[in-house]
Amino acid sequence: MICQECQKREAAIHIKKMVNGVKKEQYLCEVCAAKKSADASSKIFNLKHLLSALMEMEGSSSELSVPKEKRLECPNCGVSYERFKSISRFGCAECYQSFETKIEPLFRKIHGNSIHRGKTPKRKGKEYSLNQKIKTLKIKMQQAINEEAFEEAAKIRDEIKSLEEGK
């Protein structure tokens, strides 16, 4: 098949796009595909700039004007909050705790919550939720047995059994 862009070279790349619910397909040679890729990369939305802008809205005063001993810094890796804002990346896992007071409002703005709860798969969502509930009940039952609350453990066992039968 011939490239649909230049009409000269053999098409080596197949591109599929959905635009307003309409599927568009394009067959391009490597040269035209590289050119399109370069054009598209200049238009890609930059998440780093968005995060930096949101953080700037949180505290408009620059940390550079604050004396070094008063700057917010991670004690583990030494990354300052100002550095985090500029690169939009933490230096280590402890940065989350070090910058917690500054980033929690940011997470709330972006995600609507500061705690990640994850998603339940649509296809197996009910089965997954049921399995999770059974798993939790088994842990509670074991705790009741360890505490010698055998009546409570028996109730939980019966609940587990009814859930497993309903699968």
mmCIF file with all atom_site columns, all heavy atoms in Angstrom, residues 63-87:
data_model
loop_
_atom_site.group_PDB
_atom_site.id
_atom_site.type_symbol
_atom_site.label_atom_id
_atom_site.label_alt_id
_atom_site.label_comp_id
_atom_site.label_asym_id
_atom_site.label_entity_id
_atom_site.label_seq_id
_atom_site.pdbx_PDB_ins_code
_atom_site.Cartn_x
_atom_site.Cartn_y
_atom_site.Cartn_z
_atom_site.occupancy
_atom_site.B_iso_or_equiv
_atom_site.pdbx_formal_charge
_atom_site.auth_seq_id
_atom_site.auth_comp_id
_atom_site.auth_asym_id
_atom_site.auth_atom_id
_atom_site.pdbx_PDB_model_num
ATOM 1   N N   . GLU A 1 63 ? 9.740  30.490 47.315 1.00 0.00 ? 63 GLU A N   1
ATOM 2   C CA  . GLU A 1 63 ? 10.551 29.988 48.423 1.00 0.00 ? 63 GLU A CA  1
ATOM 3   C C   . GLU A 1 63 ? 11.976 30.501 48.340 1.00 0.00 ? 63 GLU A C   1
ATOM 4   O O   . GLU A 1 63 ? 12.709 30.402 49.310 1.00 0.00 ? 63 GLU A O   1
ATOM 5   C CB  . GLU A 1 63 ? 10.550 28.457 48.431 1.00 0.00 ? 63 GLU A CB  1
ATOM 6   C CG  . GLU A 1 63 ? 9.329  27.876 49.061 1.00 0.00 ? 63 GLU A CG  1
ATOM 7   C CD  . GLU A 1 63 ? 9.510  26.418 49.451 1.00 0.00 ? 63 GLU A CD  1
ATOM 8   O OE1 . GLU A 1 63 ? 10.656 25.927 49.475 1.00 0.00 ? 63 GLU A OE1 1
ATOM 9   O OE2 . GLU A 1 63 ? 8.510  25.790 49.729 1.00 0.00 ? 63 GLU A OE2 1
ATOM 10  N N   . LEU A 1 64 ? 12.364 31.022 47.191 1.00 0.00 ? 64 LEU A N   1
ATOM 11  C CA  . LEU A 1 64 ? 13.716 31.535 47.060 1.00 0.00 ? 64 LEU A CA  1
ATOM 12  C C   . LEU A 1 64 ? 13.932 32.759 47.934 1.00 0.00 ? 64 LEU A C   1
ATOM 13  O O   . LEU A 1 64 ? 15.039 33.042 48.352 1.00 0.00 ? 64 LEU A O   1
ATOM 14  C CB  . LEU A 1 64 ? 14.034 31.860 45.594 1.00 0.00 ? 64 LEU A CB  1
ATOM 15  C CG  . LEU A 1 64 ? 14.057 30.654 44.653 1.00 0.00 ? 64 LEU A CG  1
ATOM 16  C CD1 . LEU A 1 64 ? 14.261 31.114 43.223 1.00 0.00 ? 64 LEU A CD1 1
ATOM 17  C CD2 . LEU A 1 64 ? 15.136 29.667 45.057 1.00 0.00 ? 64 LEU A CD2 1
ATOM 18  N N   . SER A 1 65 ? 12.856 33.498 48.224 1.00 0.00 ? 65 SER A N   1
ATOM 19  C CA  . SER A 1 65 ? 12.966 34.673 49.072 1.00 0.00 ? 65 SER A CA  1
ATOM 20  C C   . SER A 1 65 ? 13.030 34.285 50.547 1.00 0.00 ? 65 SER A C   1
ATOM 21  O O   . SER A 1 65 ? 13.370 35.094 51.383 1.00 0.00 ? 65 SER A O   1
ATOM 22  C CB  . SER A 1 65 ? 11.791 35.624 48.817 1.00 0.00 ? 65 SER A CB  1
ATOM 23  O OG  . SER A 1 65 ? 10.576 34.955 49.127 1.00 0.00 ? 65 SER A OG  1
ATOM 24  N N   . VAL A 1 66 ? 12.724 33.030 50.866 1.00 0.00 ? 66 VAL A N   1
ATOM 25  C CA  . VAL A 1 66 ? 12.769 32.540 52.236 1.00 0.00 ? 66 VAL A CA  1
ATOM 26  C C   . VAL A 1 66 ? 14.197 32.088 52.529 1.00 0.00 ? 66 VAL A C   1
ATOM 27  O O   . VAL A 1 66 ? 14.833 31.444 51.688 1.00 0.00 ? 66 VAL A O   1
ATOM 28  C CB  . VAL A 1 66 ? 11.784 31.344 52.409 1.00 0.00 ? 66 VAL A CB  1
ATOM 29  C CG1 . VAL A 1 66 ? 11.857 30.785 53.814 1.00 0.00 ? 66 VAL A CG1 1
ATOM 30  C CG2 . VAL A 1 66 ? 10.385 31.764 52.051 1.00 0.00 ? 66 VAL A CG2 1
ATOM 31  N N   . PRO A 1 67 ? 14.722 32.399 53.702 1.00 0.00 ? 67 PRO A N   1
ATOM 32  C CA  . PRO A 1 67 ? 16.074 31.945 54.026 1.00 0.00 ? 67 PRO A CA  1
ATOM 33  C C   . PRO A 1 67 ? 16.200 30.427 53.923 1.00 0.00 ? 67 PRO A C   1
ATOM 34  O O   . PRO A 1 67 ? 15.241 29.705 54.204 1.00 0.00 ? 67 PRO A O   1
ATOM 35  C CB  . PRO A 1 67 ? 16.277 32.404 55.479 1.00 0.00 ? 67 PRO A CB  1
ATOM 36  C CG  . PRO A 1 67 ? 15.232 33.438 55.718 1.00 0.00 ? 67 PRO A CG  1
ATOM 37  C CD  . PRO A 1 67 ? 14.118 33.167 54.766 1.00 0.00 ? 67 PRO A CD  1
ATOM 38  N N   . LYS A 1 68 ? 17.394 29.933 53.554 1.00 0.00 ? 68 LYS A N   1
ATOM 39  C CA  . LYS A 1 68 ? 17.612 28.502 53.304 1.00 0.00 ? 68 LYS A CA  1
ATOM 40  C C   . LYS A 1 68 ? 17.194 27.646 54.491 1.00 0.00 ? 68 LYS A C   1
ATOM 41  O O   . LYS A 1 68 ? 16.609 26.587 54.320 1.00 0.00 ? 68 LYS A O   1
ATOM 42  C CB  . LYS A 1 68 ? 19.069 28.244 52.944 1.00 0.00 ? 68 LYS A CB  1
ATOM 43  C CG  . LYS A 1 68 ? 19.327 26.793 52.567 1.00 0.00 ? 68 LYS A CG  1
ATOM 44  C CD  . LYS A 1 68 ? 20.670 26.633 51.934 1.00 0.00 ? 68 LYS A CD  1
ATOM 45  C CE  . LYS A 1 68 ? 21.019 25.193 51.693 1.00 0.00 ? 68 LYS A CE  1
ATOM 46  N NZ  . LYS A 1 68 ? 20.270 24.481 50.738 1.00 0.00 ? 68 LYS A NZ  1
ATOM 47  N N   . GLU A 1 69 ? 17.464 28.089 55.714 1.00 0.00 ? 69 GLU A N   1
ATOM 48  C CA  . GLU A 1 69 ? 17.130 27.276 56.887 1.00 0.00 ? 69 GLU A CA  1
ATOM 49  C C   . GLU A 1 69 ? 15.622 27.196 57.140 1.00 0.00 ? 69 GLU A C   1
ATOM 50  O O   . GLU A 1 69 ? 15.158 26.324 57.848 1.00 0.00 ? 69 GLU A O   1
ATOM 51  C CB  . GLU A 1 69 ? 17.871 27.769 58.144 1.00 0.00 ? 69 GLU A CB  1
ATOM 52  C CG  . GLU A 1 69 ? 17.670 29.229 58.514 1.00 0.00 ? 69 GLU A CG  1
ATOM 53  C CD  . GLU A 1 69 ? 18.610 30.173 57.784 1.00 0.00 ? 69 GLU A CD  1
ATOM 54  O OE1 . GLU A 1 69 ? 19.486 29.722 57.040 1.00 0.00 ? 69 GLU A OE1 1
ATOM 55  O OE2 . GLU A 1 69 ? 18.435 31.387 57.953 1.00 0.00 ? 69 GLU A OE2 1
ATOM 56  N N   . LYS A 1 70 ? 14.827 28.060 56.526 1.00 0.00 ? 70 LYS A N   1
ATOM 57  C CA  . LYS A 1 70 ? 13.374 28.046 56.686 1.00 0.00 ? 70 LYS A CA  1
ATOM 58  C C   . LYS A 1 70 ? 12.657 27.353 55.531 1.00 0.00 ? 70 LYS A C   1
ATOM 59  O O   . LYS A 1 70 ? 11.468 27.139 55.588 1.00 0.00 ? 70 LYS A O   1
ATOM 60  C CB  . LYS A 1 70 ? 12.848 29.485 56.809 1.00 0.00 ? 70 LYS A CB  1
ATOM 61  C CG  . LYS A 1 70 ? 13.368 30.242 57.987 1.00 0.00 ? 70 LYS A CG  1
ATOM 62  C CD  . LYS A 1 70 ? 12.353 30.254 59.068 1.00 0.00 ? 70 LYS A CD  1
ATOM 63  C CE  . LYS A 1 70 ? 12.872 31.118 60.209 1.00 0.00 ? 70 LYS A CE  1
ATOM 64  N NZ  . LYS A 1 70 ? 11.937 31.221 61.265 1.00 0.00 ? 70 LYS A NZ  1
ATOM 65  N N   . ARG A 1 71 ? 13.399 27.026 54.445 1.00 0.00 ? 71 ARG A N   1
ATOM 66  C CA  . ARG A 1 71 ? 12.787 26.383 53.281 1.00 0.00 ? 71 ARG A CA  1
ATOM 67  C C   . ARG A 1 71 ? 12.331 24.978 53.603 1.00 0.00 ? 71 ARG A C   1
ATOM 68  O O   . ARG A 1 71 ? 12.975 24.261 54.361 1.00 0.00 ? 71 ARG A O   1
ATOM 69  C CB  . ARG A 1 71 ? 13.775 26.301 52.118 1.00 0.00 ? 71 ARG A CB  1
ATOM 70  C CG  . ARG A 1 71 ? 13.826 27.549 51.324 1.00 0.00 ? 71 ARG A CG  1
ATOM 71  C CD  . ARG A 1 71 ? 14.621 27.346 50.072 1.00 0.00 ? 71 ARG A CD  1
ATOM 72  N NE  . ARG A 1 71 ? 15.390 28.563 49.867 1.00 0.00 ? 71 ARG A NE  1
ATOM 73  C CZ  . ARG A 1 71 ? 16.500 28.653 49.190 1.00 0.00 ? 71 ARG A CZ  1
ATOM 74  N NH1 . ARG A 1 71 ? 17.012 27.591 48.627 1.00 0.00 ? 71 ARG A NH1 1
ATOM 75  N NH2 . ARG A 1 71 ? 17.108 29.786 49.067 1.00 0.00 ? 71 ARG A NH2 1
ATOM 76  N N   . LEU A 1 72 ? 11.232 24.582 52.972 1.00 0.00 ? 72 LEU A N   1
ATOM 77  C CA  . LEU A 1 72 ? 10.697 23.232 53.134 1.00 0.00 ? 72 LEU A CA  1
ATOM 78  C C   . LEU A 1 72 ? 11.529 22.272 52.292 1.00 0.00 ? 72 LEU A C   1
ATOM 79  O O   . LEU A 1 72 ? 11.638 22.435 51.085 1.00 0.00 ? 72 LEU A O   1
ATOM 80  C CB  . LEU A 1 72 ? 9.231  23.218 52.686 1.00 0.00 ? 72 LEU A CB  1
ATOM 81  C CG  . LEU A 1 72 ? 8.431  21.972 52.972 1.00 0.00 ? 72 LEU A CG  1
ATOM 82  C CD1 . LEU A 1 72 ? 8.445  21.623 54.451 1.00 0.00 ? 72 LEU A CD1 1
ATOM 83  C CD2 . LEU A 1 72 ? 6.993  22.173 52.519 1.00 0.00 ? 72 LEU A CD2 1
ATOM 84  N N   . GLU A 1 73 ? 12.151 21.280 52.957 1.00 0.00 ? 73 GLU A N   1
ATOM 85  C CA  . GLU A 1 73 ? 13.028 20.335 52.280 1.00 0.00 ? 73 GLU A CA  1
ATOM 86  C C   . GLU A 1 73 ? 12.795 18.939 52.818 1.00 0.00 ? 73 GLU A C   1
ATOM 87  O O   . GLU A 1 73 ? 12.461 18.766 53.978 1.00 0.00 ? 73 GLU A O   1
ATOM 88  C CB  . GLU A 1 73 ? 14.499 20.706 52.558 1.00 0.00 ? 73 GLU A CB  1
ATOM 89  C CG  . GLU A 1 73 ? 15.225 21.218 51.374 1.00 0.00 ? 73 GLU A CG  1
ATOM 90  C CD  . GLU A 1 73 ? 16.670 21.563 51.702 1.00 0.00 ? 73 GLU A CD  1
ATOM 91  O OE1 . GLU A 1 73 ? 17.277 20.932 52.578 1.00 0.00 ? 73 GLU A OE1 1
ATOM 92  O OE2 . GLU A 1 73 ? 17.171 22.492 51.057 1.00 0.00 ? 73 GLU A OE2 1
ATOM 93  N N   . CYS A 1 74 ? 12.979 17.955 51.962 1.00 0.00 ? 74 CYS A N   1
ATOM 94  C CA  . CYS A 1 74 ? 12.882 16.556 52.392 1.00 0.00 ? 74 CYS A CA  1
ATOM 95  C C   . CYS A 1 74 ? 14.165 16.200 53.142 1.00 0.00 ? 74 CYS A C   1
ATOM 96  O O   . CYS A 1 74 ? 15.256 16.347 52.590 1.00 0.00 ? 74 CYS A O   1
ATOM 97  C CB  . CYS A 1 74 ? 12.698 15.640 51.186 1.00 0.00 ? 74 CYS A CB  1
ATOM 98  S SG  . CYS A 1 74 ? 12.698 13.889 51.621 1.00 0.00 ? 74 CYS A SG  1
ATOM 99  N N   . PRO A 1 75 ? 14.048 15.710 54.374 1.00 0.00 ? 75 PRO A N   1
ATOM 100 C CA  . PRO A 1 75 ? 15.255 15.372 55.133 1.00 0.00 ? 75 PRO A CA  1
ATOM 101 C C   . PRO A 1 75 ? 15.998 14.158 54.571 1.00 0.00 ? 75 PRO A C   1
ATOM 102 O O   . PRO A 1 75 ? 17.194 14.006 54.795 1.00 0.00 ? 75 PRO A O   1
ATOM 103 C CB  . PRO A 1 75 ? 14.729 15.072 56.538 1.00 0.00 ? 75 PRO A CB  1
ATOM 104 C CG  . PRO A 1 75 ? 13.293 14.735 56.361 1.00 0.00 ? 75 PRO A CG  1
ATOM 105 C CD  . PRO A 1 75 ? 12.828 15.495 55.151 1.00 0.00 ? 75 PRO A CD  1
ATOM 106 N N   . ASN A 1 76 ? 15.303 13.321 53.818 1.00 0.00 ? 76 ASN A N   1
ATOM 107 C CA  . ASN A 1 76 ? 15.920 12.113 53.280 1.00 0.00 ? 76 ASN A CA  1
ATOM 108 C C   . ASN A 1 76 ? 16.771 12.388 52.035 1.00 0.00 ? 76 ASN A C   1
ATOM 109 O O   . ASN A 1 76 ? 17.920 11.992 51.965 1.00 0.00 ? 76 ASN A O   1
ATOM 110 C CB  . ASN A 1 76 ? 14.854 11.062 52.965 1.00 0.00 ? 76 ASN A CB  1
ATOM 111 C CG  . ASN A 1 76 ? 15.449 9.737  52.547 1.00 0.00 ? 76 ASN A CG  1
ATOM 112 O OD1 . ASN A 1 76 ? 16.327 9.215  53.202 1.00 0.00 ? 76 ASN A OD1 1
ATOM 113 N ND2 . ASN A 1 76 ? 14.965 9.209  51.445 1.00 0.00 ? 76 ASN A ND2 1
ATOM 114 N N   . CYS A 1 77 ? 16.177 13.072 51.050 1.00 0.00 ? 77 CYS A N   1
ATOM 115 C CA  . CYS A 1 77 ? 16.895 13.264 49.776 1.00 0.00 ? 77 CYS A CA  1
ATOM 116 C C   . CYS A 1 77 ? 17.365 14.705 49.558 1.00 0.00 ? 77 CYS A C   1
ATOM 117 O O   . CYS A 1 77 ? 18.144 14.966 48.652 1.00 0.00 ? 77 CYS A O   1
ATOM 118 C CB  . CYS A 1 77 ? 16.023 12.821 48.608 1.00 0.00 ? 77 CYS A CB  1
ATOM 119 S SG  . CYS A 1 77 ? 14.557 13.840 48.365 1.00 0.00 ? 77 CYS A SG  1
ATOM 120 N N   . GLY A 1 78 ? 16.863 15.639 50.363 1.00 0.00 ? 78 GLY A N   1
ATOM 121 C CA  . GLY A 1 78 ? 17.303 17.026 50.246 1.00 0.00 ? 78 GLY A CA  1
ATOM 122 C C   . GLY A 1 78 ? 16.592 17.847 49.190 1.00 0.00 ? 78 GLY A C   1
ATOM 123 O O   . GLY A 1 78 ? 16.931 19.003 48.963 1.00 0.00 ? 78 GLY A O   1
ATOM 124 N N   . VAL A 1 79 ? 15.587 17.278 48.512 1.00 0.00 ? 79 VAL A N   1
ATOM 125 C CA  . VAL A 1 79 ? 14.849 18.028 47.492 1.00 0.00 ? 79 VAL A CA  1
ATOM 126 C C   . VAL A 1 79 ? 13.982 19.075 48.183 1.00 0.00 ? 79 VAL A C   1
ATOM 127 O O   . VAL A 1 79 ? 13.269 18.781 49.142 1.00 0.00 ? 79 VAL A O   1
ATOM 128 C CB  . VAL A 1 79 ? 13.964 17.079 46.650 1.00 0.00 ? 79 VAL A CB  1
ATOM 129 C CG1 . VAL A 1 79 ? 13.005 17.859 45.771 1.00 0.00 ? 79 VAL A CG1 1
ATOM 130 C CG2 . VAL A 1 79 ? 14.823 16.177 45.799 1.00 0.00 ? 79 VAL A CG2 1
ATOM 131 N N   . SER A 1 80 ? 14.074 20.310 47.709 1.00 0.00 ? 80 SER A N   1
ATOM 132 C CA  . SER A 1 80 ? 13.252 21.376 48.285 1.00 0.00 ? 80 SER A CA  1
ATOM 133 C C   . SER A 1 80 ? 11.892 21.389 47.606 1.00 0.00 ? 80 SER A C   1
ATOM 134 O O   . SER A 1 80 ? 11.729 20.841 46.506 1.00 0.00 ? 80 SER A O   1
ATOM 135 C CB  . SER A 1 80 ? 13.932 22.730 48.082 1.00 0.00 ? 80 SER A CB  1
ATOM 136 O OG  . SER A 1 80 ? 13.914 23.088 46.716 1.00 0.00 ? 80 SER A OG  1
ATOM 137 N N   . TYR A 1 81 ? 10.928 22.008 48.258 1.00 0.00 ? 81 TYR A N   1
ATOM 138 C CA  . TYR A 1 81 ? 9.593  22.123 47.672 1.00 0.00 ? 81 TYR A CA  1
ATOM 139 C C   . TYR A 1 81 ? 9.658  22.935 46.386 1.00 0.00 ? 81 TYR A C   1
ATOM 140 O O   . TYR A 1 81 ? 8.976  22.621 45.413 1.00 0.00 ? 81 TYR A O   1
ATOM 141 C CB  . TYR A 1 81 ? 8.621  22.751 48.667 1.00 0.00 ? 81 TYR A CB  1
ATOM 142 C CG  . TYR A 1 81 ? 7.212  22.835 48.128 1.00 0.00 ? 81 TYR A CG  1
ATOM 143 C CD1 . TYR A 1 81 ? 6.461  21.684 47.942 1.00 0.00 ? 81 TYR A CD1 1
ATOM 144 C CD2 . TYR A 1 81 ? 6.651  24.054 47.782 1.00 0.00 ? 81 TYR A CD2 1
ATOM 145 C CE1 . TYR A 1 81 ? 5.178  21.739 47.430 1.00 0.00 ? 81 TYR A CE1 1
ATOM 146 C CE2 . TYR A 1 81 ? 5.364  24.119 47.275 1.00 0.00 ? 81 TYR A CE2 1
ATOM 147 C CZ  . TYR A 1 81 ? 4.637  22.964 47.102 1.00 0.00 ? 81 TYR A CZ  1
ATOM 148 O OH  . TYR A 1 81 ? 3.364  23.028 46.583 1.00 0.00 ? 81 TYR A OH  1
ATOM 149 N N   . GLU A 1 82 ? 10.522 23.931 46.360 1.00 0.00 ? 82 GLU A N   1
ATOM 150 C CA  . GLU A 1 82 ? 10.695 24.758 45.161 1.00 0.00 ? 82 GLU A CA  1
ATOM 151 C C   . GLU A 1 82 ? 11.196 23.906 43.993 1.00 0.00 ? 82 GLU A C   1
ATOM 152 O O   . GLU A 1 82 ? 10.713 24.021 42.872 1.00 0.00 ? 82 GLU A O   1
ATOM 153 C CB  . GLU A 1 82 ? 11.689 25.893 45.452 1.00 0.00 ? 82 GLU A CB  1
ATOM 154 C CG  . GLU A 1 82 ? 11.768 26.931 44.363 1.00 0.00 ? 82 GLU A CG  1
ATOM 155 C CD  . GLU A 1 82 ? 10.487 27.712 44.172 1.00 0.00 ? 82 GLU A CD  1
ATOM 156 O OE1 . GLU A 1 82 ? 9.756  27.929 45.139 1.00 0.00 ? 82 GLU A OE1 1
ATOM 157 O OE2 . GLU A 1 82 ? 10.222 28.099 43.018 1.00 0.00 ? 82 GLU A OE2 1
ATOM 158 N N   . ARG A 1 83 ? 12.128 22.997 44.276 1.00 0.00 ? 83 ARG A N   1
ATOM 159 C CA  . ARG A 1 83 ? 12.652 22.092 43.232 1.00 0.00 ? 83 ARG A CA  1
ATOM 160 C C   . ARG A 1 83 ? 11.549 21.155 42.748 1.00 0.00 ? 83 ARG A C   1
ATOM 161 O O   . ARG A 1 83 ? 11.402 20.920 41.556 1.00 0.00 ? 83 ARG A O   1
ATOM 162 C CB  . ARG A 1 83 ? 13.833 21.293 43.801 1.00 0.00 ? 83 ARG A CB  1
ATOM 163 C CG  . ARG A 1 83 ? 14.354 20.235 42.879 1.00 0.00 ? 83 ARG A CG  1
ATOM 164 C CD  . ARG A 1 83 ? 15.416 20.781 41.960 1.00 0.00 ? 83 ARG A CD  1
ATOM 165 N NE  . ARG A 1 83 ? 15.978 19.666 41.189 1.00 0.00 ? 83 ARG A NE  1
ATOM 166 C CZ  . ARG A 1 83 ? 16.128 19.703 39.883 1.00 0.00 ? 83 ARG A CZ  1
ATOM 167 N NH1 . ARG A 1 83 ? 15.831 20.792 39.222 1.00 0.00 ? 83 ARG A NH1 1
ATOM 168 N NH2 . ARG A 1 83 ? 16.609 18.675 39.245 1.00 0.00 ? 83 ARG A NH2 1
ATOM 169 N N   . PHE A 1 84 ? 10.755 20.624 43.695 1.00 0.00 ? 84 PHE A N   1
ATOM 170 C CA  . PHE A 1 84 ? 9.631  19.752 43.334 1.00 0.00 ? 84 PHE A CA  1
ATOM 171 C C   . PHE A 1 84 ? 8.666  20.487 42.414 1.00 0.00 ? 84 PHE A C   1
ATOM 172 O O   . PHE A 1 84 ? 8.208  19.940 41.413 1.00 0.00 ? 84 PHE A O   1
ATOM 173 C CB  . PHE A 1 84 ? 8.906  19.260 44.585 1.00 0.00 ? 84 PHE A CB  1
ATOM 174 C CG  . PHE A 1 84 ? 7.525  18.737 44.318 1.00 0.00 ? 84 PHE A CG  1
ATOM 175 C CD1 . PHE A 1 84 ? 7.332  17.559 43.595 1.00 0.00 ? 84 PHE A CD1 1
ATOM 176 C CD2 . PHE A 1 84 ? 6.407  19.421 44.761 1.00 0.00 ? 84 PHE A CD2 1
ATOM 177 C CE1 . PHE A 1 84 ? 6.053  17.079 43.336 1.00 0.00 ? 84 PHE A CE1 1
ATOM 178 C CE2 . PHE A 1 84 ? 5.135  18.938 44.506 1.00 0.00 ? 84 PHE A CE2 1
ATOM 179 C CZ  . PHE A 1 84 ? 4.955  17.775 43.789 1.00 0.00 ? 84 PHE A CZ  1
ATOM 180 N N   . LYS A 1 85 ? 8.373  21.745 42.728 1.00 0.00 ? 85 LYS A N   1
ATOM 181 C CA  . LYS A 1 85 ? 7.468  22.531 41.886 1.00 0.00 ? 85 LYS A CA  1
ATOM 182 C C   . LYS A 1 85 ? 8.024  22.717 40.483 1.00 0.00 ? 85 LYS A C   1
ATOM 183 O O   . LYS A 1 85 ? 7.273  22.665 39.510 1.00 0.00 ? 85 LYS A O   1
ATOM 184 C CB  . LYS A 1 85 ? 7.202  23.904 42.515 1.00 0.00 ? 85 LYS A CB  1
ATOM 185 C CG  . LYS A 1 85 ? 6.229  23.840 43.649 1.00 0.00 ? 85 LYS A CG  1
ATOM 186 C CD  . LYS A 1 85 ? 5.826  25.158 44.269 1.00 0.00 ? 85 LYS A CD  1
ATOM 187 C CE  . LYS A 1 85 ? 6.441  26.407 43.851 1.00 0.00 ? 85 LYS A CE  1
ATOM 188 N NZ  . LYS A 1 85 ? 5.993  27.587 44.592 1.00 0.00 ? 85 LYS A NZ  1
ATOM 189 N N   . SER A 1 86 ? 9.317  22.879 40.373 1.00 0.00 ? 86 SER A N   1
ATOM 190 C CA  . SER A 1 86 ? 9.896  23.143 39.050 1.00 0.00 ? 86 SER A CA  1
ATOM 191 C C   . SER A 1 86 ? 9.978  21.882 38.193 1.00 0.00 ? 86 SER A C   1
ATOM 192 O O   . SER A 1 86 ? 9.809  21.960 36.985 1.00 0.00 ? 86 SER A O   1
ATOM 193 C CB  . SER A 1 86 ? 11.266 23.802 39.171 1.00 0.00 ? 86 SER A CB  1
ATOM 194 O OG  . SER A 1 86 ? 12.197 22.881 39.693 1.00 0.00 ? 86 SER A OG  1
ATOM 195 N N   . ILE A 1 87 ? 10.234 20.713 38.798 1.00 0.00 ? 87 ILE A N   1
ATOM 196 C CA  . ILE A 1 87 ? 10.369 19.494 38.000 1.00 0.00 ? 87 ILE A CA  1
ATOM 197 C C   . ILE A 1 87 ? 9.147  18.582 38.090 1.00 0.00 ? 87 ILE A C   1
ATOM 198 O O   . ILE A 1 87 ? 9.040  17.613 37.346 1.00 0.00 ? 87 ILE A O   1
ATOM 199 C CB  . ILE A 1 87 ? 11.639 18.693 38.372 1.00 0.00 ? 87 ILE A CB  1
ATOM 200 C CG1 . ILE A 1 87 ? 11.600 18.222 39.818 1.00 0.00 ? 87 ILE A CG1 1
ATOM 201 C CG2 . ILE A 1 87 ? 12.885 19.497 38.080 1.00 0.00 ? 87 ILE A CG2 1
ATOM 202 C CD1 . ILE A 1 87 ? 12.735 17.294 40.201 1.00 0.00 ? 87 ILE A CD1 1
#
